[in-house]
Amino acid sequence: MGKNENKLENPGEFKFTKAHRRLLMGSVFLMATSAIGPAFLTQTAVFTEQFLSSFAFAILLSIIIDIGAQINIWRVLVVTGKRGQEIANDVLKGLGTFISILIAIGGLAFNIGNIAGAGLGLNAIFGLDVRFGAAITAVIAILVFISKNGQKVMDFVTMILGVIMIGVVAFVMVQANPPYADAAKHMILPENPASLVLPIITLVGGTVGGYITFAGAHRILDADIKGKDYLPFVNRSAITGILTTGVMRGLLFLAVLGVVVTGVSLDPENPPASVFEHAIGPLGGNIFGIVLFAAAMSSVIGSAYTSTTFIKTLHHKLNRFDNYVVIAFIVISTLIFLFIGKPIKLLIVAGALNGLILPITLGTILIASKNKRIVGDYKHPTWMLIFGIIAVAVTLFTGYLSFQGLADLWNQ
């Protein structure tokens, strides 16, 4: 993939240009679509059925926490011009290598699930064998990365997939005719807010956990956007990315709500698919396939890109084989799915790693933000630091719950 293709002139006098706009949209949709995968669709459907309108409160609070995590990390990375693992090594020698290994393992396991999800999506649309659909997905993803203008193509593809997802889910929401006023009321005044702690934690981990937090920020660094002059651009990108994910979550929540308030019980085998079928009839399964494929395909691209930005720094020679590292990552993910099938245990392990990674990475970034040796004369805003500390506390609890799941797995 090409590097520094978006290097902008006159960084000392920040002006929002056409080049900025394209990069902003690319980084926003890379981050947002990385978060919107098959698990995102299922989580939202299940929690909406369980908590009804009160789930709106969990979505709102998780968005606020997500912004706290994302904006801290993006700002410090761009100010220093270093990737997350490089900053971690500056804070404590070897920590960045440890984080890179965690993200590589977790990203690989999640990517197996994304490949499987894309195969299921193509099966729902065209009736293709799931494994054949998974192989097609891998080929498309590889073509994106080996194309002449790889990063521009990646930006364009994730943007198109993101727009398709939002458009289709918005249509289903309108057809479902949810109780908008009731949802708005409970977004501020939920019933039994204490019961929403687990959903909030789950949403935060799924939106900014693991590699996802770094997807957009590493994309910006690869475009040679570095230094304090670009902080207005970084703020806008980070917040827009989270809000884009929030819009998708909100639309899907309302679509599900419109179905379940009528007394319909969702299919426990595939909750989001049953929402589409109840809302728009027999074609609902096919249309859900479009959303599932778009969600999984974009997550494959985001996972492969971001995970390999960590893998490449494990050894200096890997930087010379940029595309080969990405291709190997996608191929290995696909082969594991093709020969093993649904990787339930791997996904549980990945969930545990995901719960562990964010508090470590965000905590490290917060420490770095106050270290002049790392950030120079940059002064990190106190309110952002507080936001970040809250996000670390929340995700530490996520990690605890994740490892409970891991313990249950080994005891089976």
Side-chain angles (χ1 to χ4, degrees), residues 165-167 169-170 172-173 246-256:
M165 283 189 286
I166 290 172
V169 174
V172 175
M173 178 201 72
V247 166
M248 178 64 180
R249 180 92 69 181
L251 292 173
L252 185 58
F253 153 70
L254 289 169
V256 178

Side-chain angles (χ1 to χ4, degrees), residues 216-390:
H218 282 192
R219 171 69 189 96
I220 289 174
L221 291 178
D222 277 350
D224 209 32
I225 301 295
K226 302 171 184 176
K228 291 188 294 183
D229 295 313
Y230 290 106
L231 286 178
F233 171 79
V234 172
N235 293 342
R236 186 168 178 175
S237 298
I239 293 172
T240 305
I242 292 298
L243 292 180
T244 301
T245 310
V247 166
M248 178 64 180
R249 180 92 69 181
L251 292 173
L252 185 58
F253 153 70
L254 289 169
V256 178
L257 185 64
V259 170
V260 296
V261 293
T262 63
V264 169
S265 294
L266 302 183
D267 178 4
E269 293 297 316
N270 198 339
S274 61
V275 171
F276 283 62
E277 290 165 358
H278 285 293
I280 54 182
L283 284 176
N286 301 85
I287 293 175
F288 172 71
I290 295 172
V291 174
L292 179 59
F293 175 75
M297 182 78 236
S298 57
S299 291
V300 168
I301 293 172
S303 175
Y305 169 76
T306 313
S307 297
T308 52
T309 63
F310 283 87
I311 294 171
K312 288 183 298 184
T313 59
L314 291 175
H315 195 283
H316 67 277
K317 288 185 178 179
L318 292 175
N319 271 314
R320 285 187 279 165
F321 302 100
D322 200 343
N323 283 340
Y324 294 107
V325 175
V326 177
I327 292 169
F329 186 86
I330 296 170
V331 168
I332 291 170
S333 303
T334 307
L335 290 176
I336 291 174
F337 171 67
L338 293 179
F339 289 103
I340 296 178
K342 290 187 178 181
I344 302 301
K345 291 191 175 183
L346 279 172
L347 288 174
I348 294 176
V349 173
L353 290 172
N354 205 43
L356 173 67
I357 291 167
L358 183 59
I360 293 175
T361 52
L362 180 53
T364 301
I365 295 297
L366 295 178
I367 293 169
S369 73
K370 293 299 180 181
N371 188 327
K372 290 185 178 180
R373 178 176 58 83
I374 298 172
V375 297
D377 61 356
Y378 165 70
K379 296 191 185 324
H380 197 60
T382 302
W383 70 268
M384 286 187 191
L385 184 65
I386 293 170
F387 251 125
I389 291 170
I390 292 171

Side-chain angles (χ1 to χ4, degrees), residues 25-165:
M25 296 306 292
S27 59
V28 161
F29 275 97
L30 181 64
M31 177 266 140
T33 56
S34 292
I36 304 170
F40 177 103
L41 302 175
T42 302
Q43 283 174 359
T44 306
V46 169
F47 282 137
T48 303
E49 183 178 31
Q50 184 177 352
F51 298 102
L52 300 176
S53 295
S54 292
F55 185 52
F57 176 79
I59 293 174
L60 177 63
L61 202 58
S62 68
I63 288 172
I64 294 170
I65 296 171
D66 290 343
I67 290 173
Q70 196 84 308
I71 203 167
N72 272 289
I73 289 176
W74 285 37
R75 282 175 67 97
V76 174
L77 263 61
V78 171
V79 163
T80 60
K82 295 181 177 181
R83 291 185 175 87
Q85 67 271 33
E86 294 169 327
I87 293 175
N89 276 331
D90 286 343
V91 171
L92 180 65
K93 189 175 180 180
L95 180 58
T97 302
F98 173 68
I99 288 172
S100 294
I101 293 170
L102 277 184
I103 288 182
I105 295 171
L108 180 68
F110 276 118
N111 210 43
I112 298 165
N114 293 332
I115 291 282
L120 288 168
L122 291 176
N123 172 264
I125 301 168
F126 303 113
L128 295 176
D129 179 88
V130 173
R131 297 190 179 201
F132 184 58
I136 291 174
T137 300
V139 171
I140 295 172
I142 289 170
L143 289 174
V144 168
F145 286 107
I146 66 174
S147 59
K148 185 177 180 181
N149 297 306
Q151 290 188 342
K152 289 183 180 180
V153 173
M154 179 178 69
D155 291 346
F156 178 76
V157 170
T158 53
M159 207 179 306
I160 293 299
L161 292 172
V163 170
I164 289 172
M165 283 189 286

